[in-house]
Amino acid sequence: MPFPPRRVRLVAFDLDGTLIRGPTVCESLAGPLGKLSRMLEIERLHDLAQLRAAREEMLSWYGEPLGAQCEKLTDVDIAPGAHEAFELLGEQGIRTAIVSITWSFAVEWFARRFGAGAWIGTGVQAGEIQHFWPSDKPVWLARHAKSLGLELSEVAAVGDSHGDVPMLAAVGHPFFVGADLPLEIGHAVHAPNADLREIAHRILAR
């Protein structure tokens, strides 16, 4: 690790696969629009140019205002212990954030639902997409931590996929809830499909 960890004062959570389980945000938005099969194809893309074009395509599916699409998210599968995790951390004065590459209007909706203090995702302003990628996660998190007077050694992050590796590699307290721990973050706490209340307890015990 690049530095010895210090007591946790900020916890950043990924959204898809971490705070919610089962269908992703984009799958949940696409299903009622008859676009699920296309969405599953998009989620298999890796080329950045293709992903940019796919996001433009996805945006064309949604009506205005974008926030109205969140009605489709009320029945998503919330990770066990997610609400309790935010409550436990908040009671101890630990700040929370949701850091996701999915649409920011959905990330904000979940942040308000869980009581997260900050959030980031792929934004849309005046029809223009402000793309947010996995490599942007640690950059944003470092900037946010600095704004709170914190160092990354005081930050914990919870993720489930390779898209979370850049963020998890940057913090002092990484937790991975996916099935197979990536080699790049072999020092992370590995708790596959964990109850997030237990993750919160482990964070508070540090």
Side-chain angles (χ1 to χ4, degrees):
M1 297 176 62
F3 39 63
R6 298 166 62 182
R7 186 176 71 85
V8 177
R9 298 175 64 190
L10 168 66
V11 182
F13 292 89
D14 171 53
L15 182 55
D16 286 322
T18 300
L19 289 173
I20 64 174
R21 309 282 167 85
T24 66
V25 164
C26 288
E27 289 168 8
S28 297
L29 295 175
L33 300 173
K35 300 290 187 178
L36 181 57
S37 60
R38 174 56 182 151
M39 189 64 243
L40 294 173
E41 292 177 355
I42 289 172
E43 290 187 336
R44 290 193 289 269
L45 297 176
H46 297 287
D47 179 78
L48 198 61
Q50 291 180 332
L51 285 167
R52 286 177 176 273
R55 283 178 171 177
E56 295 286 354
E57 177 185 347
M58 291 159 59
L59 187 60
S60 73
W61 301 344
Y62 310 141
E64 293 287 349
L66 289 172
Q69 295 295 315
C70 292
E71 295 176 2
K72 303 180 177 71
L73 302 175
T74 55
D75 295 327
V76 299
D77 294 328
I78 302 297
H83 288 286
E84 294 87 346
F86 278 89
E87 290 174 3
L88 283 167
L89 295 169
E91 288 169 359
Q92 298 301 316
I94 296 176
R95 298 173 184 268
T96 53
I98 301 179
V99 184
S100 173
I101 65 170
T102 198
W103 299 108
S104 60
F105 66 84
V107 182
E108 178 179 359
W109 188 82
F110 280 104
R112 296 188 185 283
R113 182 171 177 177
F114 290 120
W119 59 87
I120 187 66
T122 293
V124 181
Q125 289 188 352
E128 294 292 325
I129 297 177
Q130 286 81 52
H131 294 280
F132 192 76
W133 306 108
S135 60
D136 296 317
K137 287 187 173 189
V139 177
W140 180 88
L141 188 55
R143 186 182 305 121
H144 179 60
K146 184 177 181 180
S147 75
L148 299 174
L150 305 178
E151 298 179 5
L152 285 174
S153 58
E154 301 171 283
V155 178
V158 188
D160 73 298
S161 70
H162 279 277
D164 298 312
V165 167
M167 175 174 71
L168 296 174
V171 302
H173 305 266
F175 291 79
F176 191 79
V177 297
D180 300 312
L181 182 66
L183 292 176
E184 304 95 310
I185 52 168
H187 62 287
V189 174
H190 188 204
N193 206 35
D195 183 311
L196 296 182
R197 174 174 43 196
E198 296 305 317
I199 296 291
H201 280 301
R202 295 178 78 163
I203 289 171
L204 292 173
R206 293 192 162 208

